[in-house]
């Protein structure tokens, strides 16, 4: 079996809700369903304080991630035959629930009405059955860091 980049990609269509109860408070929720890699449900919740300073927008806030049993089994479970083949981990069957808690930050700069760039950083701490997985204990870490950068182009269609 050969692992390729294409086989590591996850496709998770879903729904997304963003609400601004206050001018500087953004609440987000998304519910996703895996169609490859896993066939479970994943939910991500977040709240951000958002400040705009001229062309710069800064945001930061807490995050909560949840996964159902199918998602957890795919990414954190170890089947008995996998444990026997590997020899370094024991079988493990996680339950669904909270997978991580953390914080995310982003800083965006608007070069024009159409073009912006964003840099972001986030920290997530695996918790519950995700943190207890022998995969995490033996090969990974409960502490997960992510950094990113993007360039965005926005456009509008006349008459819409």
């Amino acid at each position: 079996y050969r692992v390729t980049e294409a086989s590591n990609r996850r496709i998770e269509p879903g729904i997304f809700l963003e609400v601004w109860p206050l001018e500087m408070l953004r609440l987000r929720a998304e519910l996703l369903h895996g169609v490859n890699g896993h066939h479970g449900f994943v939910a991500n919740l977040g709240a951000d304080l958002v400040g705009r300073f001229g062309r710069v927008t800064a945001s930061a806030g807490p995050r909560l991630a949840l996964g159902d049993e199918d998602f957890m089994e795919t990414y954190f479970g170890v089947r008995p035959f996998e444990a026997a083949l590997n020899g370094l981990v024991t079988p493990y069957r996680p339950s669904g629930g909270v997978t991580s808690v953390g914080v995310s930050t982003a800083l965006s700069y608007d070069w024009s009405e159409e073009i912006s760039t964003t840099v972001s950083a986030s920290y997530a701490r695996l918790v519950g059955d995700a943190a207890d997985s022998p995969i995490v204990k033996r090969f990974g870490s409960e502490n997960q860091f992510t950094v990113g950068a993007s360039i965005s182009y926005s456009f509008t269609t006349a008459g819409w």
Side-chain angles (χ1 to χ4, degrees):
Y1 179 73
R2 182 176 173 185
V3 177
T4 64
E5 182 177 327
S7 68
N8 288 329
R9 293 187 182 140
R10 288 193 321 217
I11 298 173
E12 297 174 326
I15 58 173
F16 172 79
L17 175 66
E18 182 174 280
V19 178
W20 290 80
L22 301 171
E23 186 176 336
M24 59 185 278
L25 178 63
R26 174 178 58 204
L27 304 176
R28 296 177 156 190
E30 63 182 7
L31 179 64
L32 309 169
H33 184 267
V35 296
N36 73 336
H38 72 92
H39 297 283
F41 285 93
V42 178
N44 297 300
L45 306 173
D48 291 309
L49 288 176
V50 180
R52 186 151 179 88
F53 312 96
R55 293 178 173 232
V56 175
T57 302
S59 63
R63 298 290 185 268
L64 177 71
L66 303 101
D68 72 0
E69 190 171 312
D70 187 79
F71 171 83
M72 295 289 286
E73 179 67 31
T74 300
Y75 292 102
F76 299 101
V78 180
R79 294 183 181 102
F81 77 90
E82 293 169 331
L85 288 174
N86 183 289
L88 298 174
V89 294
T90 57
Y92 182 69
R93 185 173 178 90
S95 299
V98 176
T99 60
S100 68
V101 295
V103 64
S104 184
T105 63
L107 192 63
S108 298
Y109 183 81
D110 295 331
W111 299 95
S112 67
E113 286 188 28
E114 296 85 17
I115 300 172
S116 66
T117 55
T118 302
V119 293
S120 61
S122 61
Y123 166 75
R125 173 84 176 182
L126 296 177
V127 297
D129 283 7
D132 293 339
S133 170
I135 297 168
V136 173
K137 298 280 188 203
R138 177 79 176 163
F139 304 109
S141 171
E142 294 173 349
N143 300 302
Q144 305 289 306
F145 297 92
T146 305
V147 294
S150 66
I151 300 172
S152 300
Y153 179 81
S154 300
F155 59 93
T156 59
T157 304
W160 282 35

